[in-house]
Amino acid sequence: MRAVQITEFGGPEVLTMASLPDPVAGPGQVLITVDRAGINYADTHQVENSYLAPASLPLVPGGEVVGHTEDGRRVVALLNGGGYAEKAAAATHSTFDVPEGVSDGAALALVLQGTTAWHLLRTSARMIEGETVVVHAAAGGVGSLAVQLAKQWGAGRVIATASTEEKRAKALELGADVAVDGAPEGLKERLVEANGGKRVDIVLEMVGGPTFDASLAALGRFGRVITYGAASREAATPVVPAALMRGSKSVVGFWLADCFGVPGMIGEPLAELFALAEKGQLTAIVGGDYPMSDVAKAHNDIRSRRTVGKLVLDPRR
């Protein structure tokens, strides 16, 4: 089969096309013929071995695929790698049937970015109706879905941040009440101003570094920063416990992998998200459909923040 393999860690240049043996489904697994594979920012960390879970070589990246099983079911699956390929073996408990009204790209967006957004707001932030929610990178895969879910679930105000005017316009189109520049300098002040001069309740933060610092500084009483990434590859200022006590603030980490294998933590949110998508109440943006041979370009695009929504690879091209 055709696949993308890396034999050394580095940037997008180490992603190379290879011919590999087809995977074999073991006990508790299904073999999937891949129609599309998802591309995630976390993949760029995995390729350079800077992700939360250390990688070993050789490696076929890719954490989710959509395609067909040998018995003809159309499914989306979460993987522990191996998705950038024409075939993939997936655990049955991480494989989910895709409704007819949900496209391949939407299925990939919802199984990973959608369930992440769901858990950020429900499980980690425990959002209450009327609260102000800040969504960084609001035109991205997780952000674009989090904006919509926060609004549907009764957020008092959704403040989006994004790096360009075009992306901020997209966030407003998706339901954000206001959109501001996400650059770290002056960010705290822009967030407070966007909230009518009051500090904010919840920040969904995946940039890290100075953006994390500004997000924490913008919190009001009982405010929560949910950190789920470090796209800037910069270190934030260490959090001082006493600073959290003043204002009763919280910093909560989230990693979707901690939900894998826990009954219901993926399947139940995903069923809710699929239902919303089928009703037209949730839009999963597919921002790029790349031939697998252009995988290095896809990684360059996502690292440089030129993209919106979900990116996918077509293994047949």
Side-chain angles (χ1 to χ4, degrees):
M1 68 174 183
R2 296 172 72 240
V4 175
Q5 187 181 55
I6 65 169
T7 56
E8 60 179 319
F9 293 118
E13 72 282 353
V14 304
L15 294 157
T16 58
M17 297 299 300
S19 179
L20 301 176
D22 289 358
V24 177
Q29 291 186 316
V30 294
L31 185 64
I32 299 172
T33 298
V34 179
D35 294 324
R36 292 292 189 281
I39 304 171
N40 302 298
Y41 203 93
D43 297 347
T44 71
H45 284 288
Q46 187 183 49
V47 168
E48 64 186 18
N49 204 25
S50 62
Y51 196 44
L52 290 172
S56 58
L57 298 173
L59 169 70
V60 176
E64 76 271 10
V65 297
V66 63
H68 291 80
T69 63
E70 293 176 294
D71 61 0
R73 292 165 54 213
R74 180 168 170 254
V75 298
V76 65
L78 293 168
L79 313 170
N80 291 318
Y84 291 9
E86 290 183 307
K87 292 183 182 292
T92 54
H93 64 75
S94 296
T95 301
F96 309 94
D97 290 303
V98 180
E100 186 176 337
V102 176
S103 70
D104 286 351
L108 288 170
L110 294 175
V111 76
L112 196 99
Q113 279 83 8
T115 55
T116 295
W118 192 100
H119 281 294
L120 290 173
L121 292 166
R122 291 286 204 214
T123 306
S124 297
R126 299 179 184 269
M127 190 195 89
I128 299 170
E129 284 191 22
E131 290 189 310
T132 297
V133 178
V134 175
V135 181
H136 288 311
V142 174
S144 60
L145 293 164
V147 164
Q148 298 174 72
L149 292 175
K151 206 59 190 166
Q152 289 196 38
W153 293 342
R157 175 168 290 202
V158 176
I159 301 171
T161 81
S163 58
T164 68
E165 194 62 49
E166 181 182 9
K167 290 182 179 181
R168 292 192 285 274
K170 173 58 70 174
L172 292 172
E173 181 185 321
L174 292 171
D177 296 288
V178 60
V180 302
D181 187 351
E185 187 175 353
L187 178 58
K188 172 199 166 186
E189 290 74 20
R190 290 194 298 278
L191 295 179
V192 171
E193 181 183 2
N195 198 34
K198 298 181 293 184
R199 292 174 183 260
V200 303
D201 299 304
I202 295 167
V203 184
L204 307 185
E205 205 289 300
M206 43 65 68
V207 181
T211 300
F212 175 90
D213 298 340
S215 300
L216 183 58
L219 286 184
R221 289 182 182 177
F222 300 101
R224 292 89 77 198
V225 170
I226 316 302
T227 176
Y228 67 103
S232 69
R233 290 170 165 80
E234 295 181 81
T237 303
V239 176
V240 178
L244 297 178
M245 292 169 60
R246 290 189 296 271
S248 300
K249 302 170 186 175
S250 303
V251 176
V252 181
F254 179 77
W255 187 27
L256 188 67
D258 287 323
C259 299
F260 297 173
V262 180
M265 288 200 79
I266 299 295
E268 291 178 14
L270 184 59
E272 181 179 344
L273 296 169
F274 278 162
L276 289 171
E278 284 194 289
K279 294 173 186 173
Q281 297 173 355
L282 184 65
T283 300
I285 300 169
V286 178
D289 189 343
Y290 295 80
M292 195 161 69
S293 56
D294 283 349
V295 63
K297 181 181 186 304
H299 273 232
N300 273 314
D301 287 348
I302 197 171
R303 286 178 65 128
S304 62
R305 302 189 186 183
R306 288 195 289 266
T307 64
V308 297
K310 181 67 177 177
L311 305 187
V312 300
L313 280 181
D314 184 348
R316 299 164 297 190
R317 296 190 288 145

